[in-house]
Amino acid sequence: MSPMQNPIQAILFDLDDTLIDWSGRQGTYFSSMIPHLDNMLDHLEAGGHALTDREGFKTTLGETLVSHWSEAKVTLQAVDFRRVVQDTCRAHYLDTSRIDLMELLHAYDNKAIPGVDLFPDTIAVLDELRDRGYKLGLITNSMLPMWMRDAELRAYDLLDYFPVRLSSGDAGYIKPHPQIYHAALDQMDVRPAQAVFVGDRPGNDIAGANAAGLTSVLLTPPHLNYELNGVTPDHIIGTLSDLLPVLTALERTTEKNDV
Ligand SMILES: [Mg+2]
């Protein structure tokens, strides 16, 4: 390696409560899904499917989510919204052979969640990182396929910053499983030691980044108060802007080691 080459080539981010701020969200995540589930049910009814119990369908879907997530927390195998929807349709005796799942997910029409917004410094920090020449990527523990979450990224003008984006629903594993980090790094053609991961949850973001061999940075927004529970981040920052001096210091440390 050339002594002048910055060994940190890539910055990977978590999405929720790292790039976007969920502190203003009203209600539960499930309650924010309801209008979109209604869109799906309208689509099914328009396709001639007999839905005798729309409320029951939504309740079953909510219960299926809880059960799949409980399993995922043990196995670290991802929850896949497509499977959740299929299982719910079967439980309500819908003929899944006549349901085009892709069309149904498009009918869901995922959007940015009311009350969720960018942190004030997100765009400025991403601009600076891009100017410094870092490759940027995003890994989210989301059951939705990434193309569905892209609607949110587009709404916040984040989409163009992240050529590499992985949702756990697509990758098959959730953080902290190292596989999802390595899958993103492979797409970026970067080794773990050349990458920094920034996230808000010690137990999955940071534990996973440490296990996968990345430099870990814990973001601690004021509305969150997660216990470290024995997890040791390499760095802790209060705002995204604090990442910039951390990276500058990492570059300096390496220059010193290279001499
Ligand atoms: Mg998060």
Side-chain angles (χ1 to χ4, degrees):
M1 189 200 306
S2 151
M4 295 307 288
Q5 189 186 5
N6 181 4
I8 301 298
Q9 300 289 311
I11 320 293
L12 275 171
F13 287 90
D14 166 53
L15 174 58
D16 299 307
D17 276 326
T18 296
L19 295 170
I20 56 177
D21 174 6
W22 283 66
S23 64
R25 185 258 315 251
Q26 305 289 316
T28 63
Y29 181 74
F30 185 68
S31 69
S32 71
M33 291 178 71
I34 296 292
H36 302 285
L37 295 177
D38 278 321
N39 291 341
M40 274 190 356
L41 293 171
D42 292 345
H43 177 81
L44 288 170
E45 284 184 333
H49 293 278
L51 275 164
T52 51
D53 184 5
R54 286 179 66 115
E55 292 313 305
F57 183 98
K58 288 180 261 185
T59 303
T60 305
L61 188 133
E63 289 167 354
T64 308
L65 279 184
V66 170
S67 128
H68 284 211
W69 273 109
S70 311
E71 210 177 298
K73 279 174 187 157
V74 178
T75 65
L76 301 188
Q77 294 195 12
V79 178
D80 184 341
F81 187 56
R82 292 161 280 214
R83 250 194 69 209
V84 171
V85 170
Q86 279 177 318
D87 287 358
T88 306
C89 286
R90 284 194 197 101
H92 283 258
Y93 305 106
L94 297 174
D95 180 0
T96 50
S97 69
R98 287 201 307 113
I99 295 173
D100 183 323
L101 192 58
M102 192 57 112
E103 274 185 17
L104 191 55
L105 297 183
H106 276 286
Y108 181 92
D109 194 20
N110 188 49
K111 285 193 163 54
I113 294 185
V116 176
D117 209 343
L118 287 165
F119 285 109
D121 53 356
T122 301
I123 296 293
V125 169
L126 293 177
D127 281 338
E128 172 70 19
L129 295 176
R130 201 157 61 171
D131 287 350
R132 289 192 193 185
Y134 292 113
K135 296 179 181 179
L136 302 180
L138 185 154
I139 303 175
T140 173
N141 268 2
S142 173
M143 65 183 171
L144 300 180
M146 199 66 222
W147 66 262
M148 291 179 75
R149 295 225 60 187
D150 281 352
E152 294 164 70
L153 296 181
R154 201 171 289 115
Y156 300 119
D157 288 329
L158 287 176
L159 195 56
D160 291 343
Y161 290 97
F162 296 102
V164 172
R165 309 179 300 282
L166 271 188
S167 94
S168 53
D170 286 333
Y173 291 95
I174 59 172
K175 296 171 283 185
H177 198 293
Q179 178 73 30
I180 188 167
Y181 299 82
H182 291 156
L185 293 176
D186 284 349
Q187 287 187 29
M188 301 168 92
D189 197 21
V190 166
R191 286 179 285 110
Q194 298 174 306
V196 167
F197 188 85
V198 186
D200 64 292
R201 289 183 181 249
N204 54 38
D205 290 315
I206 302 305
N210 288 347
L214 291 78
T215 298
S216 60
V217 178
L218 177 68
L219 176 72
T220 57
H223 67 285
L224 299 178
N225 188 24
Y226 295 123
E227 297 287 336
L228 288 177
N229 285 331
V231 174
T232 310
D234 292 315
H235 303 273
I236 300 179
I237 58 176
T239 67
L240 278 175
S241 302
D242 298 339
L243 178 63
L244 300 173
V246 168
L247 293 173
T248 305
L250 282 173
E251 287 157 20
R252 285 209 191 101
T253 307
T254 312
E255 278 166 17
K256 197 169 59 194
N257 291 342
D258 280 340
V259 170

